[in-house]
Amino acid sequence: MEHPPQTSQTSLQRRKWSTKEDVVLISAWLNTSKDAIVSTDQKAGAFWKRIVDYVNASPLLSGAVPREWSQCKQRWGRINEQVCKFVGCYEAAVREQASGQNENDVMKAAHDIFFKFTLEHCWRELRFDQKWKSLGVPKEGPKEKSKEAAEVVAEEEGAEVRPPGVKACKAAKRKRQGYDEIHSMIAVKKEIQQQKVLEHLLAKDPTHLSAKEITLMDKLISEMI
């Protein structure tokens, strides 16, 4: 694999990324990956050389210490991973959105699920891009049904159904893993909330508990046993 020459130093590798640098890096990745001539299918070294050149040439980062391709690649990996997870958390929050709640309420709920997410500025840059929009939880609808129907017709007519490529399979696997992590996070959050409610009820004088509170307490206890 071809790699651009490295001149990195430990001090540079540890330098924190600013919000402005993240935004420029995202712009560089999106523009380079969508270039009809220079895409992610090319050699990794040339691809990241284009990105680091874009980042270091940006007028938004005028006067900043230049980044190296390895730093950009590592940072992008973290941004992509964290944003993909938050997309799932945001979708989960949208599904649980109650009547009267607004965007701020949904965002708060999403952060409650992924409470260590610190790259909201990156998510806002990527949220409307097709790659990250497609990570949302699929909903049944005409498109999905028509696609399934087309596949059935193709099979019945003896047409060759093209198997998914290696990249598609890997992407699907990453999505499933991401959703599994999100479901685990939601489950942990729910358990913590239930424990807090139960502790609150147990701390009250039993003679002052309403019938509804007693029923709820019995239910929570039975679920935890």
Side-chain angles (χ1 to χ4, degrees):
M1 182 182 293
E2 178 186 351
H3 294 295
Q6 281 188 278
T7 58
S8 63
Q9 297 177 5
T10 303
S11 59
L12 292 181
Q13 292 287 353
R14 294 177 178 175
R15 181 162 58 93
K16 290 185 178 181
W17 284 72
S18 66
T19 298
K20 190 179 294 185
E21 283 183 303
D22 282 341
V23 171
V24 172
L25 175 60
I26 290 170
S27 177
W29 192 93
L30 291 175
N31 282 285
T32 305
S33 63
K34 292 177 181 178
D35 192 310
I37 299 175
V38 183
S39 68
T40 52
D41 291 329
Q42 69 181 312
K43 291 184 178 180
F47 177 74
W48 286 103
K49 177 65 166 58
R50 281 282 299 266
I51 288 179
V52 74
D53 287 347
Y54 183 110
V55 169
N56 290 333
S58 173
L60 294 176
L61 302 178
S62 178
V65 179
R67 289 288 184 179
E68 296 176 359
W69 78 272
S70 58
Q71 292 175 305
C72 291
K73 182 179 180 180
Q74 183 179 24
R75 181 61 176 177
W76 171 254
R78 175 171 174 76
I79 288 174
N80 185 38
E81 177 192 16
Q82 296 287 296
V83 169
C84 285
K85 288 181 180 179
F86 188 75
V87 167
C89 295
Y90 183 84
E91 289 290 342
V94 169
R95 287 198 303 271
E96 299 297 325
Q97 184 177 8
S99 176
Q101 289 188 324
N102 56 28
E103 170 71 9
N104 291 335
D105 296 319
V106 174
M107 284 299 296
K108 183 179 183 303
H111 277 288
D112 285 343
I113 298 172
F114 192 172
F115 52 86
K116 292 185 178 180
F117 184 63
T118 59
L119 298 176
E120 184 178 326
H121 59 284
C122 297
W123 171 76
R124 292 192 179 280
E125 293 293 321
L126 294 167
R127 64 180 298 195
F128 297 116
D129 187 85
Q130 187 58 42
K131 177 180 177 181
W132 287 268
K133 283 174 67 176
S134 65
L135 287 174
V137 178
K139 298 179 180 178
E140 294 183 359
K143 290 185 178 179
E144 287 75 9
K145 292 181 179 179
S146 62
K147 182 179 179 182
E148 292 175 2
E151 290 176 350
V152 171
V153 171
E155 290 178 0
E156 290 178 349
E157 294 179 352
E160 181 181 354
V161 179
R162 186 177 179 181
V166 175
K167 288 187 176 180
C169 290
K170 288 183 177 180
K173 183 178 180 181
R174 286 196 296 270
K175 288 180 185 180
R176 287 195 298 271
Q177 292 173 339
Y179 288 134
D180 288 342
E181 290 183 17
I182 291 165
H183 289 315
S184 297
M185 292 163 65
I186 294 174
V188 170
K189 180 197 171 190
K190 183 179 179 181
E191 184 178 347
I192 292 173
Q193 289 177 332
Q194 289 179 335
Q195 288 177 347
K196 288 182 178 179
V197 172
L198 181 57
E199 288 173 0
H200 173 71
L201 292 174
L202 291 172
K204 295 180 68 174
D205 186 337
T207 60
H208 293 162
L209 290 174
S210 66
K212 185 177 180 180
E213 287 176 326
I214 293 174
T215 301
L216 176 59
M217 184 169 64
D218 291 340
K219 180 183 178 181
L220 292 175
I221 293 174
S222 64
E223 289 178 354
M224 292 181 182
I225 295 177

